[in-house]
Amino acid sequence: MSPIPPSIHHKPVLRLHLDDITHSATQITNASLDGGLYLARAIEHVISHLYKPYGLSEIPKVRSVTVVLRSMGGVAYTTGLPLDDLHKEIHLSLDYVQAVQSRSSSDIRHEIAGVITHEMVHCFQHNGHGTAPGGLIEGVADFVRLKSGLAPPHWKKTADSRGQKWDEGYQKTAWFLEWLEDKKGAGTVSRLNATLKAEKYNEEKFWKDLVGASVQTLWNQYKETWEMEDTSSDCSTTLKGQE
Ligand SMILES: [Zn+2]
């Protein structure tokens, strides 16, 4: 397998930085990422679910993605270098990996793949030139994670876990986007992303042009489907700390 997906014309340099070799989670994280080769697969997930069929010709020309494994609070975050935003850094918390690993039922490889895929979306997604709501940005990232088969076990759809608003972000908005694709057609989210490249985010115009209805109307329609689907009422926790 080629380490870089063939569909991406501009190939970023992919790097893995082990900040602390002696940290107890460094080796398992490195192994879970196949020594960094997983980064190329994460980019494939982004291309498949965010750039097909719309927007393939407008993938940002990211120059490099460096994953930094280090001790820190939270789960992970992505940043661009101040001098050149096309050099991306994904910071992943070794302390978080350690904590997940200590929960015996967790599949650490699956979880790390999911977190990295979420962060890789941030390296490549469009954001309406900085105007898109944060909840939509995070929802798109978790949508790609969800469609890549990397949803963590704690993502459970219950009456309480689906959210009060469409833009609460993370898996709540991801589930809404998943429903939207079912209703409006596969590739709707790639069209949404392509639109965020073309124009600034004007909520009313954006959703009307995209799917012919206001986002609140869509959210209300989505909510009406919950009653039919809900079969359990167990609590689920929302994981805090991934940005
Ligand atoms: Zn995020």
Side-chain angles (χ1 to χ4, degrees):
M1 188 195 78
S2 161
I4 304 290
S7 53
I8 184 167
H9 304 300
H10 183 90
K11 296 175 180 179
V13 174
L14 302 178
R15 306 192 300 183
L16 181 61
H17 178 90
L18 311 184
D19 192 56
D20 181 357
I21 298 288
T22 62
H23 191 290
S24 53
T26 294
Q27 302 306 327
I28 184 73
T29 308
N30 183 40
S32 297
L33 290 171
D34 294 336
L37 283 177
Y38 186 77
L39 306 193
R41 288 210 291 285
I43 292 175
E44 286 177 0
H45 293 319
V46 177
I47 305 299
S48 297
H49 301 294
L50 200 56
Y51 283 97
K52 287 182 180 173
Y54 298 99
L56 264 178
S57 63
E58 297 202 281
I59 301 172
K61 292 182 170 50
V62 172
R63 297 175 193 278
S64 68
V65 179
T66 302
V67 169
V68 180
L69 307 184
R70 68 182 180 92
S71 177
M72 65 177 201
V75 178
Y77 66 88
T78 293
T79 183
L81 296 192
L83 281 174
D84 186 344
D85 190 51
L86 290 173
H87 288 288
K88 304 291 187 183
E89 279 190 6
I90 295 172
H91 291 242
L92 174 61
S93 168
L94 291 169
D95 305 306
Y96 170 72
V97 172
Q98 184 68 51
V100 173
Q101 200 188 3
S102 65
R103 297 199 298 260
S104 57
S105 61
S106 295
D107 180 345
I108 194 68
R109 203 179 168 85
H110 182 86
E111 175 62 17
I112 290 173
V115 170
I116 290 294
T117 296
H118 173 111
E119 296 302 329
M120 196 63 83
V121 174
H122 291 326
C123 295
F124 288 93
Q125 75 188 137
H126 298 304
N127 61 14
H129 307 273
T131 63
L136 179 58
I137 296 296
E138 296 302 337
V140 167
D142 269 350
F143 171 83
V144 172
R145 179 175 181 174
L146 184 66
K147 297 306 256 186
S148 303
L150 294 170
H154 65 264
W155 287 9
K156 292 197 183 83
K157 288 181 190 171
T158 68
D160 295 330
S161 71
R162 298 185 199 230
Q164 306 293 319
K165 300 182 292 156
W166 75 271
D167 61 347
E168 278 188 50
Y170 298 101
Q171 72 269 32
K172 294 173 181 175
T173 300
W175 287 329
F176 173 60
L177 294 173
E178 182 186 38
W179 169 83
L180 196 66
E181 283 231 324
D182 285 346
K183 187 177 171 66
K184 301 291 182 181
T188 298
V189 173
S190 76
R191 205 151 50 81
L192 179 155
N193 180 61
T195 306
L196 289 174
K197 159 73 177 172
E199 58 190 60
K200 290 189 175 179
Y201 182 82
N202 174 322
E203 188 148 293
E204 202 172 320
K205 179 179 187 308
F206 182 84
W207 292 96
K208 281 266 162 59
D209 289 353
L210 186 72
V211 286
S214 78
V215 70
Q216 191 55 49
T217 300
L218 293 163
W219 177 258
N220 290 339
Q221 292 172 356
Y222 168 60
K223 278 197 332 195
E224 285 169 14
T225 67
W226 297 359
E227 279 182 20
M228 292 177 279
E229 285 180 22
D230 280 337
T231 52
S232 68
S233 59
D234 58 322
C235 295
S236 79
T237 53
T238 301
L239 197 62
K240 304 277 189 204
Q242 179 161 19
E243 295 171 3

